[in-house]
């Protein structure tokens, strides 16, 4: 009688039971598949996985090797401009250099132009967080409370647009490509848009709302290392200005490695270049603005095609080949161990 009253409250009502409901889910009685592993299923799994990874890896490597690419290091070839840019007082002085090269064969299809940087560490934590995502969405925010410091305001209190170390260090060399055909020089038409991701262009970056961009950014100033304000990044296309400028968006997506390349331009397939770049003599005409000597960096310009698997990076193919080889080797090792143990078992049974 005493135990029975323990389950009753002071008002005489029964307390709720702590036992789970008598259902298949709460009583863990749901039907489940329990595979019965044997030597045949294990070995077939390893060999099939190895064959699949090896096949995919070989296809990826062959595809990457079929990419046509030419890479030119212009760090030393533009040494005079590099020395000029090392002095910050010369920021408003223009400096140009030219680099000649020859294509021995045609580069057919879509041709992409990249700029490459070496020994530039974008993966530093303080550098990566030095931005204001709210400002890049076109909102009126107090950037003093952001992580942009010390690139937030000037001494007179004028805020920077955009703020932060990432935006301030934006790559700003101008690279033009010319085709030398007999005695004439033809400028290769390049597309400035279409190099950024759709989500960046339409979701993550927006300009402040106003009747024009100059009034939208009124009361702000360009970052210290910039030569022009953000609303004049592309003076030929008003839709490619401000925070939605493709070059700016591509730069704001920081790299995980110290050596990287970013998409800069695409060859417009018109006239002589409808099928790509024909063989012949070419010239890169570079307006040198981005100094790299102080951090012992290098600069490259790359012309490349793409295939179904991407660019010329064979890393993914090598990773598949290594994984497939490891799975196949493991299968052979397990087979050898199984045969050895089976012989021993047969010997002891006799």
């Amino acid at each position: 009688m005493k135990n029975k009253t323990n389950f009753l409250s002071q008002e005489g009502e029964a307390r709720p039971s702590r036992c789970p409901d008598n259902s298949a889910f709460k009583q863990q009685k749901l039907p489940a598949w329990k595979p019965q592993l044997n030597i045949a299923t294990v070995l077939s799994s390893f060999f099939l996985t190895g064959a699949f990874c090896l096949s995919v890896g070989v296809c990826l490597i062959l595809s990457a090797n079929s990419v046509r690419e030419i890479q030119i290091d212009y760090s030393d070839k533009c040494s005079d401009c590099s020395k000029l840019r090392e002095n910050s007082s010369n920021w408003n002085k223009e400096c140009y250099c030219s680099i000649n090269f020859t294509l021995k064969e045609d580069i057919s299809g879509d041709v992409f132009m990249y700029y490459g940087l070496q020994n530039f560490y974008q993966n530093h934590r303080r550098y990566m967080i030095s931005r204001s995502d709210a400002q890049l969405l076109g909102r009126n925010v107090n950037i003093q409370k952001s992580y942009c410091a010390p690139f937030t305001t000037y001494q007179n209190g004028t805020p920077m647009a955009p703020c932060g170390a990432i935006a301030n260090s934006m790559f700003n060399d101008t690279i033009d490509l010319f085709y030398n055909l007999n005695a004439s020089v033809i400028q290769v038409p390049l597309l400035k848009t279409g190099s950024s991701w759709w989500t960046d262009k339409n979701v993550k970056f927006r300009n402040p709302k106003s009747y024009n961009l100059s009034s939208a950014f009124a009361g702000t100033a360009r970052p210290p290392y910039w030569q022009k304000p953000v609303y004049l990044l592309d003076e030929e296309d008003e839709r490619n200005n401000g925070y939605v400028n493709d070059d700016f968006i591509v730069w704001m997506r920081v790299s995980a490695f110290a050596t990287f390349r970013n998409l800069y331009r695409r060859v417009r397939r018109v006239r002589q270049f409808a099928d790509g770049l024909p063989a012949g003599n070419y010239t890169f005409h570079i307006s040198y603005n981005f100094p790299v000597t102080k951090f012992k960096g290098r600069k490259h310009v790359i012309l490349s095609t793409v295939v179904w698997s991407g660019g010329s990076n064979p890393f993914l193919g090598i990773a598949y080949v290594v994984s497939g080889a490891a799975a196949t080797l493991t299968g052979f090792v397990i087979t050898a161990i199984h045969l050895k143990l089976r012989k021993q078992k047969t010997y002891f049974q006799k």
Side-chain angles (χ1 to χ4, degrees):
M1 190 71 181
K2 191 180 212 179
N3 293 334
K4 185 176 181 180
T5 57
N6 289 338
F7 292 94
L8 301 177
S9 61
Q10 294 179 356
E11 291 80 5
E13 297 179 356
R15 295 181 182 178
S17 173
R18 294 185 178 180
C19 296
D21 296 337
N22 189 19
S23 62
F25 177 76
K26 292 188 176 182
Q27 294 295 335
Q28 299 184 10
K29 295 180 179 179
L30 291 175
W33 178 62
K34 299 179 180 179
Q36 300 294 329
L37 297 179
N38 52 45
I39 190 63
T41 56
V42 171
L43 289 180
S44 60
S45 299
F46 274 103
F47 285 122
L48 288 175
T49 302
F52 172 78
C53 291
L54 286 174
S55 302
V56 174
V58 170
C59 292
L60 289 173
I61 292 175
L62 294 176
S63 176
N65 290 336
S66 66
V67 173
R68 294 290 308 280
E69 180 176 300
I70 178 172
Q71 178 172 315
I72 297 176
D73 187 330
Y74 65 95
S75 305
D76 297 330
K77 296 179 180 180
C78 299
S79 58
D80 294 337
C81 292
S82 178
K83 293 178 182 178
L84 180 70
R85 285 287 172 258
E86 291 303 323
N87 188 349
S88 59
S89 61
N90 297 325
W91 66 270
N92 58 344
K93 296 181 180 180
E94 295 183 351
C95 188
Y96 298 93
C97 60
S98 298
I99 302 172
N100 299 318
F101 67 98
T102 302
L103 288 181
K104 297 182 180 179
E105 298 179 357
D106 296 347
I107 300 182
S108 303
D110 294 327
V111 182
F112 299 86
M113 180 187 294
Y114 301 82
Y115 63 84
L117 290 177
Q118 183 177 341
N119 206 37
F120 190 94
Y121 289 86
Q122 284 189 315
N123 56 2
H124 193 282
R125 178 181 175 275
R126 292 293 300 275
Y127 180 89
M128 293 177 63
I129 65 175
S130 184
R131 58 188 292 167
S132 173
D133 291 323
Q135 183 195 45
L136 298 177
L137 282 171
R139 300 172 184 171
N140 187 12
V141 295
N142 183 9
I143 59 176
Q144 293 283 9
K145 297 181 180 180
S146 66
Y147 293 102
C148 288
F151 302 102
T152 52
T153 60
Y154 286 92
Q155 294 181 353
N156 59 2
T158 305
M160 299 179 189
C163 69
I166 306 177
N168 183 59
S169 61
M170 176 181 167
F171 183 86
N172 57 352
D173 283 0
T174 302
I175 307 173
D176 294 316
L177 180 60
F178 293 88
Y179 177 44
N180 305 317
L181 180 62
N182 299 327
S184 60
V185 178
I186 303 172
Q187 183 172 3
V188 179
L190 301 175
L191 296 172
K192 296 182 179 181
T193 58
S195 56
S196 60
W197 294 6
W198 185 91
T199 52
D200 289 340
K201 190 84 171 181
N202 297 275
V203 178
K204 295 183 179 180
F205 293 84
R206 295 177 184 174
N207 285 324
K209 294 183 179 180
S210 182
Y211 62 92
N212 59 40
L213 276 182
S214 59
S215 62
F217 289 98
T220 64
R222 58 176 176 80
Y225 289 173
W226 285 28
Q227 296 177 322
K228 59 180 74 173
V230 66
Y231 55 86
L232 292 178
L233 288 178
D234 189 352
E235 300 181 16
E236 299 176 359
D237 188 357
E238 294 182 357
R239 297 171 299 177
N240 191 36
N241 262 319
Y243 297 148
V244 296
N245 177 264
D246 277 68
D247 292 339
F248 174 71
I249 293 175
V250 170
W251 178 260
M252 293 300 291
R253 184 175 291 278
V254 296
S255 172
F257 302 99
T259 299
F260 61 92
R261 64 173 65 178
N262 285 336
L263 181 59
Y264 181 66
R265 296 288 184 266
R266 292 179 297 138
V267 174
R268 187 179 179 185
R269 299 177 64 175
V270 295
R271 300 190 300 275
Q272 297 96 331
F273 313 102
D275 297 326
L277 291 179
N281 298 321
Y282 290 84
T283 301
F284 281 122
H285 190 66
I286 300 171
S287 175
Y288 197 104
N289 299 306
F290 194 87
V292 295
T293 306
K294 288 186 177 180
F295 58 87
K296 299 179 181 179
R298 311 286 299 180
K299 292 194 294 185
H300 306 83
V301 58
I302 303 108
L303 293 174
S304 176
T305 59
V306 295
V307 291
W308 62 271
S309 61
S312 62
N313 189 354
F315 174 79
L316 185 60
I318 295 174
Y320 266 102
V321 169
V322 171
S323 301
T328 305
L329 180 61
T330 304
F332 281 116
V333 171
I334 295 176
T335 302
I337 295 174
H338 171 68
L339 293 176
K340 183 178 180 180
L341 293 178
R342 189 173 65 175
K343 289 181 179 180
Q344 291 180 353
K345 183 178 180 181
T346 304
Y347 174 77
F348 285 117
Q349 286 177 351
K350 291 180 180 181

